[in-house]
Amino acid sequence: MSDVILKLNDICKSFFSVEVLHHVNLELRQGEILGLVGENGAGKSTLMNILGGIFPMSAGSIEFLGEPYEPASPKYATEKGIAFIHQELNLFTNLSVAENMFIDNFPTGFLGRIDKKKIRAKSQEYIDKYDLNVRASAKMGNLPMGSRQMVEIAKALMKNAKVIIFDEPTTSLSNREKEKLFKAIRELKENGVSIIYISHILEDVLLLCDRISVLRDGKVVHTDKRERYDRAGLIRDMVGRELTQVYPSVEKEIHDKVLEVKDLNCAGFVKGVSFCLREGEVLGLFGLMGAGRTQILRAVFGLDPKESGEVRVFGEEVKKPSPGECIHRGMAFITENRREEGLLMPRPVSTNLLMVKNEELAGSMGVVDTKEEAELCRKMVKTLDIKTARPDQQAANSLSGGNQQKVVMGKWLLKEPKIFLVDEPTHGVDVGAKYEIYRLILNMAKEGSAILVVSSEMQELMGICDRILVLSNGRLTGEVRKEDYSQERIMKFAL
Ligand SMILES: Nc1ncnc2c1ncn2[C@@H]1O[C@H](COP(=O)(O)OP(=O)(O)OP(=O)(O)O)[C@@H](O)[C@H]1O
Ligand SMILES: [Mg+2]
């Protein structure tokens, strides 16, 4: 257990003369699962990108299996046996599982033809060896996210990876898929593979890891055995102070109906969904992955057509909901798929923040030109603690994952919508920022907005909602009021 196979010495990294990693030292032992946690922008992904040969380091050195390790490219890392499973998987959805596994190394037969049989057999062998439960011939795009993750693992194993890095692997997994992933990770460990596991879900880190390193502001502040850590201790090390309250308490009142949905049928399997949302209310929509939560939001907001049913906003029927129509009536929708749908990646943070607030800016070259706008941005950056030195210059795509999510949240918060639909508001966001997002949501409700929140974290919904609707297989199966909240009750409706 104690043989160190990978040693990072005094790693520093700067982007445009701003140092984001400061003399990081880290050791990984054979056959261990090392957790890596830290606030958004702490430097976790950057450190792993260096290890994976994606960015060069500015200073420092790395030893791997007793030899100098100089990752000049991802290829170098792979050849040495370090695999990196990114949050956005690098898989080709139009190819088969087997083709994906051999993508950078096709064995060719007669006349240079790809030997499909061979790659299929070889792939299946690896898949079965680790009991990953996918078919090598299946088309990648038809597999659920969990299975795609398994393919990435099989791919890493096929290349004989001795170290596998997981950067927030569970954000798009269902609970069952997550359990499978953890089982696979534990088996890898039994087979002597070393794992680095990055996540904001601290319960998972505590459950899975043998040791945990905490990164704060580009430095390793503490590394310890899992037994010596609990949730509060991890948070203390991450944020540098005690964080006692997880959910803010805000006094507010609930008034008239502002959104009514009647007998909604959509997406082929969502049937007869009816509910209403009131001014000042935070309403939760819970369901297991695939229950139809996102489909309902999309149909209400007019992103996808509904088959039938009625949507009323402030008492008036919206005959043909479309996003433009909905925004015009004071609604906003934050999609779960924020990376793809939410941001103008090459544009600065401030442009992104002001994008919906100033509709005239959207689509134009959007520069922040008034003092007032700059001040609004500054405030939002501060409130959500968006890690950026120059919001008017730093492009959104150079922010850390969690900070990008905060920008998407921030731009809609600035608009102060009257009816706010939010899908997974805190995915990938660190604990401190979660609290701020909850506080903003509750304060908006207090000011008279109505908020519908979809989340797969039941605790989160119980912490901020006045009421929770439960969805199962496209149908509403229950409604639980705050005074009756219990995990068992909600889960019973969801199953
Ligand atoms: N390509 C880049 N150009 C400029 N700055 C960058 C670039 N990539 C990362 N950074 C900066 O480096 C810092 C660390 O970012 P990193 O992505 O490593 O954080 P993280 O710990 O992975 O956070 P998260 O939990 O949000 O994913 C951030 O301040 C980020 O803005
Ligand atoms: Mg990251």
Side-chain angles (χ1 to χ4, degrees), residues 309-321:
E310 200 179 291
V311 176
R312 285 181 174 272
V313 176
F314 296 108
E316 232 177 89
E317 184 173 1
V318 189
K319 284 260 187 287
K320 271 206 173 134

Side-chain angles (χ1 to χ4, degrees), residues 41 44-46 87 167-168 198 200 400-402:
K44 305 175 296 292
S45 297
T46 303
Q87 190 181 346
D167 195 350
E168 289 187 55
I198 299 178
H200 287 292
S400 80

Side-chain angles (χ1 to χ4, degrees), residues 327 331-332 356-357 359 410-418:
I327 292 172
M331 293 171 75
V356 270
K357 169 106 185 135
E359 266 147 331
K411 77 175 187 187
W412 286 106
L413 289 168
L414 277 178
K415 174 95 178 168
E416 297 174 348
K418 286 277 146 220

Side-chain angles (χ1 to χ4, degrees), residues 15 20 39-46 168 200 394 398-402:
F15 289 107
V20 297
E39 287 183 293
N40 296 130
K44 305 175 296 292
S45 297
T46 303
E168 289 187 55
H200 287 292
Q394 186 167 9
S398 71
L399 290 179
S400 80

Side-chain angles (χ1 to χ4, degrees), residues 95-331:
L95 299 181
S96 72
V97 167
E99 285 162 333
N100 266 287
M101 289 182 63
F102 278 90
I103 195 79
D104 27 40
N105 201 6
F106 278 120
T108 47
F110 183 60
L111 288 179
R113 265 199 220 157
I114 292 168
D115 192 338
K116 285 206 175 174
K117 246 193 183 154
K118 192 166 163 187
I119 66 167
R120 208 174 285 167
K122 192 90 191 138
S123 302
Q124 197 66 54
E125 192 186 310
Y126 271 90
I127 292 168
D128 293 343
K129 184 169 164 195
Y130 291 95
D131 204 13
L132 300 179
N133 215 354
V134 265
R135 267 184 317 113
S137 56
K139 194 174 150 190
M140 208 63 194
N142 294 338
L143 295 180
M145 287 312 281
S147 304
R148 296 186 200 187
Q149 207 109 32
M150 295 299 161
V151 175
E152 278 276 21
I153 297 178
K155 197 172 152 188
L157 292 172
M158 204 173 65
K159 290 179 183 154
N160 257 325
K162 298 178 190 76
V163 173
I164 304 183
I165 302 164
F166 289 88
D167 195 350
E168 289 187 55
T170 59
T171 27
S172 39
L173 298 190
S174 68
N175 278 340
R176 193 175 309 156
E177 289 175 328
K178 187 155 112 175
E179 273 166 31
K180 260 196 196 166
L181 175 71
F182 286 4
K183 185 166 167 267
I185 290 180
R186 289 198 181 101
E187 275 169 23
L188 291 172
K189 170 189 146 126
E190 294 306 317
N191 288 311
V193 177
S194 307
I195 309 283
I196 300 179
Y197 186 85
I198 299 178
S199 177
H200 287 292
I201 306 178
L202 302 180
E203 292 75 16
D204 290 350
V205 174
L206 288 165
L207 188 74
L208 192 66
C209 299
D210 301 306
R211 289 190 312 138
I212 304 172
S213 276
V214 180
L215 210 59
R216 181 176 359 133
D217 295 333
K219 288 187 207 115
V220 173
V221 287
H222 196 69
T223 301
D224 222 326
K225 288 198 191 114
R226 185 261 166 261
E227 301 81 68
R228 312 262 292 262
Y229 264 123
D230 58 10
R231 201 184 132 83
L234 270 184
I235 295 175
R236 204 179 312 119
D237 279 352
M238 279 171 67
V239 303
R241 66 193 149 88
E242 207 79 36
L243 205 76
T244 43
Q245 226 183 339
V246 187
Y247 300 104
S249 60
V250 172
E251 292 280 330
K252 56 187 185 54
E253 283 170 30
I254 297 175
H255 299 281
D256 300 341
K257 289 178 189 168
V258 293
L259 174 72
E260 291 169 83
V261 173
K262 275 194 203 130
D263 269 326
L264 176 72
N265 292 339
C266 65
F269 73 105
V270 174
K271 300 279 178 228
V273 168
S274 301
F275 63 89
C276 70
L277 175 65
R278 294 168 180 278
E279 181 183 330
E281 186 176 41
V282 181
L283 175 64
L285 185 55
F286 180 79
L288 302 179
M289 208 155 285
R293 306 165 304 184
T294 301
Q295 283 77 2
I296 293 177
L297 295 193
R298 292 182 66 90
V300 169
F301 201 68
L303 276 164
D304 293 330
K306 55 182 166 60
E307 285 141 22
S308 61
E310 200 179 291
V311 176
R312 285 181 174 272
V313 176
F314 296 108
E316 232 177 89
E317 184 173 1
V318 189
K319 284 260 187 287
K320 271 206 173 134
S322 71
E325 175 72 31
C326 290
I327 292 172
H328 178 70
R329 291 179 188 241
M331 293 171 75

Side-chain angles (χ1 to χ4, degrees), residues 13-16 18-21 37-49 55 87 167-168 198-200 215 218 339 387-389 394-395 397-406 428-430:
K13 174 68 188 172
S14 301
F15 289 107
F16 313 109
V18 178
E19 196 173 86
V20 297
L21 291 176
V37 301
E39 287 183 293
N40 296 130
K44 305 175 296 292
S45 297
T46 303
L47 189 62
M48 293 304 113
N49 279 326
F55 296 148
Q87 190 181 346
D167 195 350
E168 289 187 55
I198 299 178
S199 177
H200 287 292
L215 210 59
R339 298 244 166 102
K387 294 248 159 53
T388 170
Q394 186 167 9
N397 57 12
S398 71
L399 290 179
S400 80
N403 282 297
Q404 291 178 9
Q405 309 232 348
K406 291 186 199 174
V429 168
D430 68 49

